[in-house]
Amino acid sequence: MSFTITGTGSYLPGKVVTNDDLTAFLDTSDEWISTRTGIRARHVAAQETVTDMAVAAARAALEDSGSTPEQVDLILCATLAGEYITPSLGCMVQKELGAHCPAYDLNAACSGFLYALDAAAGYFARGRVKKVLVICAEAMTRLMDWTDRSTCVLFGDGAAAAVLEPGEDLLSIHLSAAGNNDALCIPHVNGNCPYSGYDRGPASLMMNGQEVYKFAVSAMSKGVEKVAEEAGISLEDIALVVPHQANMRILEAARKKLGMPAEKIASNIDQCGNTSAASLPILLDQLSRQGRLKKGDLLALTAFGGGLTTGACILRWAKEKK
Ligand code: UT7
C-alpha cells in the first residue's frame, strides 16, 4: 500500500518582481538572468507569512480533493524555515485549519516534496493514516543576501500542497543525501549568548553555483533513470517529467542526458524562479489545473537541493483530467 494523490493546491504571493525590477538596485540585467537561468520573474511574499502561504495552498488542495481539515490524519510540512523554530510550520497550519491531527516539519531543502512523499508512504504502509496533507512552503526571498547578485536573482516564494489517500500510485521512489555545507548553506542566526564564541556568519544563503549545477544535472537524470528502472518502465513510458525548478539550463542538460523530447519536461521557472521545496508541487498543481495531466499518466518527479539531497519517484496520476 502506498497512496494516491486526490487533490493539489498552490499559492503564489501577489507581488511579482521582474528581472528589470532588480536592476534598480543590483548590477544585473534581464539578459544575464534569463539566458543563464530561464527566470524572468518571481513572486515575493511582501505581505504574506510562510504560514499564510501554506494555509492557502492547503485549503486549495483540500477543496480539490473534497476533504475537510477534520478528516486529515497527518500534516507533513517540507520547509527550510517557517515563522518559528518552534512551533513548527505544520503546527501553525494545523491551528489555522482547525485540524486535530499530528503535524511536523521536515527539511530536505529543494528535495522536500519527495522526502515528504516517502515519509507519508510509510504511514500508509503501516495503515496509520487515511488522509495525509503534504505541504511545501518557502519564503526564500527572506533568506537571501540582497547585495549578492549571484544568488538573490534565482529565488522566489510560494507554497503548494497535496492530499494523499490510500492507493497504489507511488510506483517507485529514491532519496539520497551527501552531506555538504560548502556547495550550499544557510547558517542559523548567531543569537546573543554571552558564552558563545562561535560565529556562524551571516544568516543568508551562500552557494557555489557551479558545483551545485554539476551535481544537479547528474542527480536529476540519474534519479529519473533509477526510479523508472525500479518501477519496471522505460523512459518512453513517462508521460511527463515534473522537475524541481532551479535553472532552465540544468533542466535542458538533464533532458539531453535522458534523451527525452523537450515537450516531456515541464517547467514554470520563467514566472516563479526557484521556490525550493515548493517548486515541484507548485508546478504539479499548475499542470493539473491546466488540464495537462491525464488519468493514468506516469509522471517522473525529480529534485535536488541543499544537503545535498536528491529525490525522484514515478507517480501514476489518478485524477480525472480537469
Ligand atoms: O535549488 C538548488 C539551488 N541552486 C542551483 O540550482 C544553482 C545551480 N547553479 C546555477 O544555476 C548557475 O551556476 C548560476 C545561475 C548560479 C550561475 O551561472 P554560471 O553560468 O555558473 O555563472 P558564474 O557563476 O560562472 O558567473 C559568470 C559571471 C561572473 O562574472 P565574471 O567573474 O565572469 O566577470 C559573475 O560575477 O556572471 C557574473 N554574475 C552576474 N552577472 C549579472 C553572477 N550573477 C550575476 C547576475 N547578473 N545576477
Side-chain angles (χ1 to χ4, degrees):
M1 169 72 70
S2 64
F3 58 76
T4 188
I5 292 184
T6 58
T8 61
S10 60
Y11 178 84
L12 291 167
K15 183 164 183 61
V16 174
V17 175
T18 65
N19 293 344
D20 279 336
D21 292 336
L22 298 176
T23 63
F25 59 93
L26 272 181
D27 179 16
T28 190
S29 64
D30 176 51
E31 205 266 332
W32 192 95
I33 302 171
S34 57
T35 54
R36 297 273 177 148
T37 70
I39 300 166
R40 295 191 175 278
R42 72 286 294 142
H43 294 253
V44 174
Q47 306 295 336
E48 303 88 341
T49 63
V50 184
T51 306
D52 293 336
M53 295 192 288
V55 168
R59 287 207 169 108
L62 288 169
E63 188 184 342
D64 192 40
S65 81
S67 307
T68 63
E70 297 74 32
Q71 294 172 324
V72 176
D73 299 312
L74 175 70
I75 296 173
L76 211 43
C77 282
T79 186
L80 287 173
E83 265 64 57
Y84 309 105
I85 290 176
T86 189
S88 66
L89 178 61
C91 287
M92 291 302 291
V93 171
Q94 189 241 32
K95 173 184 171 217
E96 293 299 320
L97 290 179
H100 306 292
C101 57
Y104 66 91
D105 294 357
L106 63 82
N107 176 349
C110 309
S111 310
F113 188 56
L114 275 307
Y115 269 68
L117 291 185
D118 196 41
Y123 287 89
F124 284 105
R126 289 190 292 135
R128 296 271 290 145
V129 291
K130 291 212 161 51
K131 226 177 261 268
V132 174
L133 184 55
V134 169
I135 306 166
C136 301
E138 305 276 24
M140 294 305 293
T141 62
R142 292 182 197 159
L143 303 173
M144 294 295 131
D145 171 0
W146 282 88
T147 64
D148 178 6
R149 66 178 183 174
S150 69
T151 52
C152 72
V153 304
L154 304 173
F155 293 89
D157 303 332
V163 176
L164 278 41
E165 300 187 40
E168 302 292 349
D169 290 326
L170 182 70
L171 304 192
S172 61
I173 187 160
H174 178 74
L175 308 178
S176 82
N180 177 333
N181 58 340
D182 294 325
L184 198 165
C185 80
I186 307 174
H188 260 301
V189 291
N190 275 307
N192 65 351
C193 172
Y195 305 107
S196 170
Y198 180 64
D199 181 4
R200 295 185 173 97
S204 49
L205 186 140
M206 291 178 281
M207 181 172 71
N208 178 336
Q210 292 186 354
E211 192 180 336
V212 178
Y213 189 104
K214 281 184 222 134
F215 170 76
V217 173
S218 138
M220 287 195 135
S221 52
K222 284 191 182 143
V224 171
E225 282 167 351
K226 186 169 181 62
V227 290
E229 189 185 338
E230 282 177 7
I233 64 169
S234 71
L235 295 182
E236 288 77 49
D237 295 327
I238 295 171
L240 200 59
V241 178
V242 186
H244 168 50
Q245 304 289 298
N247 184 324
M248 201 59 213
R249 287 190 297 142
I250 293 176
L251 299 187
E252 182 56 15
R255 178 190 77 73
K256 282 191 182 141
K257 274 185 182 275
L258 289 166
M260 294 177 88
E263 62 272 16
K264 284 212 174 178
I265 314 289
S267 177
N268 63 2
I269 194 166
D270 59 329
Q271 293 307 312
C272 296
N274 181 345
T275 56
S276 184
S279 98
L280 197 163
I282 288 173
L283 178 58
L284 188 67
D285 179 53
Q286 291 177 341
L287 293 166
S288 170
R289 286 169 195 268
Q290 289 160 4
R292 289 180 59 193
L293 307 179
K294 288 196 313 292
K295 187 173 175 161
D297 275 353
L298 295 179
L299 308 179
L301 277 46
T302 177
F304 68 92
L308 296 168
T309 58
T310 73
C313 78
I314 299 292
L315 186 71
R316 187 168 41 224
W317 193 248
K319 284 171 65 65
E320 293 292 346
K321 190 170 170 173
K322 295 213 177 189

